[in-house]
Amino acid sequence: MSRLQRKPLISLCMIVRNEADTLARCLTSVHGIADELIIVDTGSTDSTLSIARSFGARIVSFPWTGDFAAARNAGLEQARGTWILVLDADEELDAKSKGELLVCAEHTEYEAFFVRIHNHKGTERSSPVITVNPILRMFRNRPQYRFSGIIHEQIAAAIVEATPAAAMHLSTVSVHHYGYADGVVAKKDKISRNLSLLKEQLKLKPRDAFHQFNTAVEYMRLGDYTQALEHIRLSLAEAEPDTSFIHLLYKYEVRCRIMSGDQTGALDACIRGCALFPDYPDLHHIKGVLLLQAGAFAAARQAFRQALDIGVSPPGYHTESGLGTYLTYAALGQLCQETGEASEAMACYTRAAQLHPAPAPLLVRLVRIMKCAGREHELPGWLKEHLPQLTADAPLLAGLLLAEGCFAAAAEIVGTSAGAAGAADADLPDGGAETRNENPPRGDSEVSDIRAPGGAGAAGAAGADLPDGGAETRNENPPRGDSEVSDIRAPGGAGAADAALPDGGAETYLDGKLPVVHEAVPESASSGLPSDDAAADLLRLLQRVNAIPADQLQHQDITLLLCHPAVCVEHGPSAAGPACRSSRAWLLLADRMLAALTAASGYGPAAARVRLTLPLPRTDE
């Protein structure tokens, strides 16, 4: 008997309203998993309903009453499956998780299953994952299991009340969520809607810890950290010791105090949180950042090591991608850089780049530390050994090396990859005497968005997201934090950490020396390997520029390299406009002069420190 001929195993229940942009993707993702599709529509005026019908969904019309639980329950009343699966239209089930979800459905000794919601920064699967949150999304279809709460509706309480011994399993099923991507929240005006509904809930239940918690989250998203702290305090006062979101209350208290300029209070909250949740890497990482800001290097190192010892967060915590892994390695590398441990910093940045899904910002730090440690000549071999996937993209790697002024290393990369070394050498006079190219491209001399020199590092804030109208338990996920990367220290000394919470952003407790403003890349641009002629020409320029003494190197010499067509325009300096390239050229001139001072008596140590603090080149994130 086929699955469609017997009683449905899994009933997908959704509530929608004007979800034409995302609904088809969601329904496609559960093909072969959900035996019936039940969609509660609260007043769509676009093509949502026609899309739902094209998938064979049963439509339940339910005029919006301002009560998410009521809408959810209207769908549950129609479900015939053994299990209820709850998704939102801006989510999709990971294809690799289909088998596990079906296995879960065979285990009727459980009453409910948590899945892992991967909140994305953008609206596509390829966009970075910012937070990962355990949410109860599949449960047995029983008449006594119904949602409660007009917003951030809950089902876990009803399950526990009806079945006190109910077993619930933390699965590794992955669901991708895009509802809090950049601009989506503002488009749907979710903050105003949520706050209005939460205020209604608090009128009825002013001591409800969960509603106080979610109200704090909404105020954080508005940037009102004073109000947010007050609701965090009230939530902590009322929450039971085993409440599943307490770890987030401590994390959000830290964030609010950072944003309020209370570094001491932030560190105190972090220490209290770490004591209660010693296996939560996020708090240990943030503690390390705060201690690094304060110059307490030994204690910061210990905190980062604790986060790395834990690694990926245990499944019961709401966490951020990279904390306990690549972001923590990068922060530890930054600490080692601050304390003059170049080899340790290299190892940490390398490990971070190996683990990072988009390692370009870490590569520029690795290149910088090796260059300033006098080990530029090791870069090609080091990258080939430890990050071999990058050496296959010669234009990208050449662009990164050029932007950091590593002309000799870039020459080796270009010469090896394109096979142009021999041809280029034949054209060079003995001794490397250079002939300056006439009429180089003019670079705008205006500095464009280059940060003032300062200490490396940044502090951000962590968060998690509540899917719009999502079926949540006490493990609910509040909106995630900021995608900005901001400086951990003001120039010249320790300063306040920056953090923010724009809609759908990614928090990063890492470094802040990477401006990420880009101009549009021309459609005709190619990131493939350059032609032999272009590579040979670039190699000639690199060798000539590298042979020019520091006091004779000119702005136009470097500008020629930064805008060369053989460099990957998607990632290298040629992706920026003339003003940015010109700014970078002046910085590289300064770097070359500082490097020349390292051999001069008395000036070497100071020059080396200044080189480390020069603004880093732009990279894509």
Side-chain angles (χ1 to χ4, degrees), residues 164 178 190 205 222 275 279 420 565 584 605:
Y178 312 101
K190 291 183 177 182
K205 297 180 179 180
L222 288 174
D279 60 341
R584 193 74 214 155

Side-chain angles (χ1 to χ4, degrees), residues 256-598:
C256 290
R257 293 192 182 281
I258 289 173
M259 293 305 297
S260 301
D262 181 9
Q263 301 295 98
T264 301
L267 182 56
D268 177 69
C270 211
I271 291 171
R272 287 186 279 115
C274 288
L276 288 172
F277 305 102
D279 60 341
Y280 189 24
D282 298 43
L283 284 175
H284 290 290
H285 178 103
I286 304 166
K287 178 184 175 184
V289 170
L290 291 168
L291 290 166
L292 177 57
Q293 289 179 280
F297 296 128
R301 187 191 305 271
Q302 182 180 8
F304 289 139
R305 284 296 180 190
Q306 285 180 295
L308 290 171
D309 287 344
I310 298 167
V312 176
S313 179
Y317 291 123
H318 298 242
T319 188
E320 294 162 59
S321 182
L323 297 192
T325 56
Y326 55 85
L327 291 183
T328 307
Y329 271 113
L332 183 58
Q334 178 183 310
L335 184 154
C336 294
Q337 181 175 316
E338 294 272 353
T339 55
E341 302 167 89
S343 294
E344 286 297 316
M346 287 169 51
C348 288
Y349 287 144
T350 300
R351 184 58 179 150
Q354 289 171 337
L355 297 172
H356 202 297
L362 297 168
L363 284 176
V364 294
R365 288 202 167 277
L366 175 60
V367 170
R368 167 69 60 85
I369 193 70
M370 292 186 70
K371 178 188 75 173
C372 293
R375 301 174 65 173
E376 177 186 343
H377 63 285
E378 298 179 32
L379 271 168
W382 182 279
L383 294 173
K384 183 177 181 180
E385 179 180 356
H386 299 290
L387 297 161
Q389 71 278 16
L390 297 171
T391 58
D393 193 340
L396 181 151
L397 189 54
L400 291 173
L401 293 170
L402 280 175
E404 188 52 29
C406 296
F407 303 137
E412 183 172 342
I413 293 293
V414 173
T416 300
S417 64
D425 289 340
D427 291 334
L428 279 173
D430 290 342
E434 87 284 357
T435 303
R436 297 181 188 273
N437 287 8
E438 296 299 325
N439 302 319
R442 291 185 58 195
D444 190 337
S445 62
E446 179 182 356
V447 176
S448 173
D449 192 38
I450 297 290
R451 302 185 185 183
D465 235 319
L466 269 170
D468 185 16
E472 315 298 345
T473 74
R474 289 171 297 173
N475 268 351
E476 293 312 332
N477 43 334
R480 58 180 178 265
D482 183 27
S483 61
E484 295 185 355
V485 179
S486 50
D487 287 340
I488 197 170
R489 294 194 294 118
D498 293 327
L501 275 160
D503 296 332
E507 311 73 73
T508 305
Y509 298 93
L510 177 56
D511 74 59
K513 304 304 294 295
L514 301 173
V516 290
V517 176
H518 292 275
E519 294 184 0
V521 178
E523 290 184 4
S524 61
S526 170
S527 61
L529 288 171
S531 67
D532 287 346
D533 289 343
D537 183 64
L538 175 59
L539 185 57
R540 293 187 193 97
L541 289 175
L542 284 166
Q543 291 173 328
R544 288 166 180 167
V545 167
N546 204 47
I548 299 174
D551 59 348
Q552 297 178 27
L553 191 63
Q554 295 183 13
H555 181 269
Q556 67 179 23
D557 297 315
I558 299 177
T559 303
L560 276 171
L561 292 173
L562 297 184
C563 64
H564 197 281
V567 177
C568 177
V569 296
E570 292 183 0
H571 301 278
S574 57
C580 294
R581 289 196 296 270
S582 179
S583 300
R584 193 74 214 155
W586 287 119
L587 286 167
L588 294 181
L589 279 173
D591 177 74
R592 182 62 70 92
M593 291 299 296
L594 289 166
L597 289 175
T598 57

